[in-house]
Amino acid sequence: MTTADLFSESISSMVGEQAARELNQMRRIEAQLAETRKRHQFLSELGTYLKKDWPQHVLALLNKESQAIKTIDADNQALNDALVSIRNAAMEKVAVLQRRFPAFLDEACKAANLPLDRESRDPQYTFEKGFFTLLIDYQKGRARLSDYEGRLHEFPSDIGAVVEHVQAEHKRVFGRQFDGQKFLKKLRNHYLAIIKKDRIADGSELPIRRITARLGKNEKGFRTDEFIVQLSRLIAEGPVEIDNRRVDLQQTKDSHQGIYLHGLAGRGYIGYITFKEVK
């Protein structure tokens, strides 16, 4: 007995049509769910910024999610009215924040025990002897945090957000345990691996970026700014001798090829590294 004998064409067609209707219904439900998720994420994020009292973040989010706001049910007038009130209040808070930003930042940094440099001048602030730089764009309501190696974060310029970002980056870079002997040995091993590959003599000068490039390939999670602080501590605290050789750093005028050691400004940009034989 064949399939044609069992199922008529009309029955087969009916099943296929119903499957197509179910597929369309499923797609509508998925689209509605995606829209609901987007609104939920928006409202959750907004609630977080309201609790933290971050008006710049509130305004940035309201502007970014203007389309999501439009999809809020027309009959949810209470929420729509609340969003209008939130925007107006945020604009008032931002106006006050921008007028008193230097004073607010200084107060917050003292409370958080952050190393805001005395030489800082609005709208550019520095932390930890110039290692971190915070640039405020009042027109856009944005803050940009960077360090010796470049940009780290860009975000709405609320005081609390500044403190959170600087604290996190400061802990990442300066909060690591330092073992001078271990770091020196690692430095020496990578130096030896490179000169072996290049077939040059021990004691030859190598661009310091050759070391950081190799570390970046061989060390998971390697960050050059963390390496700079570790190297700075090595030079300042020691030890600097290993295998009867002494680590020696040479300057360069090329700021792109060199690195700037923390707390050792008089050295300028370091471009080369070598291990000189101790006699």
Side-chain angles (χ1 to χ4, degrees):
M1 185 178 290
T2 66
T3 302
D5 295 326
L6 288 173
F7 306 114
S8 68
E9 185 176 342
S10 60
I11 291 176
S12 178
S13 177
M14 181 191 70
V15 171
E17 289 173 359
Q18 184 60 37
R21 285 193 290 272
E22 295 295 341
L23 177 61
N24 289 334
Q25 176 69 1
M26 183 175 66
R27 286 173 175 169
R28 285 194 293 271
I29 293 173
E30 288 175 344
Q32 291 172 356
L33 181 59
E35 199 64 45
T36 301
R37 281 199 182 109
K38 188 174 182 180
R39 287 197 299 270
H40 174 264
Q41 181 179 352
F42 157 67
L43 292 171
S44 295
E45 195 172 345
L46 179 61
T48 297
Y49 295 150
L50 291 174
K51 288 180 181 179
K52 289 186 173 184
D53 195 19
W54 289 2
Q56 291 281 29
H57 280 71
V58 168
L59 285 181
L61 181 64
L62 291 175
N63 293 333
K64 176 185 174 184
E65 300 297 342
S66 58
Q67 292 302 316
I69 294 172
K70 290 179 181 178
T71 66
I72 294 175
D73 296 340
D75 59 352
N76 197 341
Q77 193 58 46
L79 179 56
N80 279 289
D81 291 343
L83 291 176
V84 172
S85 297
I86 288 171
R87 178 182 287 275
N88 292 335
M91 291 176 67
E92 292 178 5
K93 285 177 174 288
V94 164
V96 175
L97 172 64
Q98 292 190 340
R99 285 198 306 269
R100 302 189 59 194
F101 190 91
F104 286 161
L105 181 62
D106 183 64
E107 181 181 342
C109 287
K110 287 178 180 177
N113 196 30
L114 281 179
L116 177 62
D117 295 340
R118 292 188 172 214
E119 297 79 10
S120 295
R121 295 293 181 270
D122 186 68
Q124 182 167 299
Y125 300 86
T126 59
F127 300 81
E128 194 59 70
K129 301 177 183 177
F131 190 86
F132 297 107
T133 298
L134 176 74
L135 182 62
I136 304 300
D137 186 332
Y138 287 105
Q139 186 174 0
K140 295 181 179 179
R142 305 285 293 176
R144 187 175 69 207
L145 181 65
S146 57
D147 67 11
Y148 286 172
E149 285 297 291
R151 184 178 301 186
L152 296 169
H153 303 283
E154 186 169 333
F155 51 93
S157 54
D158 289 300
I159 297 296
V162 169
V163 171
E164 283 192 12
H165 282 295
V166 176
Q167 278 183 324
E169 293 300 325
H170 189 276
K171 181 179 180 180
R172 175 182 66 82
V173 177
F174 290 93
R176 299 181 64 200
Q177 185 176 0
F178 177 67
D179 185 330
Q181 191 66 47
K182 184 177 179 180
F183 181 78
L184 178 62
K185 184 177 181 180
K186 178 172 70 173
L187 199 63
R188 174 67 174 164
N189 288 341
H190 283 279
Y191 172 88
L192 290 173
I194 294 172
I195 65 171
K196 181 179 180 180
K197 181 180 178 181
D198 291 355
R199 297 181 179 178
I200 57 179
D202 195 356
S204 300
E205 291 183 355
L206 282 183
I208 193 69
R209 293 286 182 181
R210 291 284 304 279
I211 301 290
T212 57
R214 192 172 195 278
L215 282 165
K217 292 179 181 179
N218 289 275
E219 241 182 52
K220 185 178 180 181
F222 172 80
R223 297 284 293 269
T224 304
D225 52 3
E226 295 173 10
F227 171 85
I228 289 174
V229 171
Q230 297 273 296
L231 181 60
S232 301
R233 292 191 64 177
L234 181 73
I235 298 305
E237 303 171 16
V240 293
E241 292 186 10
I242 184 172
D243 299 335
N244 204 38
R245 287 184 177 272
R246 182 183 182 88
V247 64
D248 188 61
L249 304 177
Q250 304 294 327
Q251 290 182 330
T252 180
K253 294 181 180 180
D254 189 340
S255 59
H256 297 289
Q257 294 300 317
I259 62 175
Y260 201 69
L261 297 184
H262 175 252
L264 301 170
R267 287 178 171 266
Y269 283 95
I270 301 301
Y272 301 91
I273 182 173
T274 183
F275 285 83
K276 293 183 176 179
E277 187 175 3
V278 178
K279 296 181 180 180

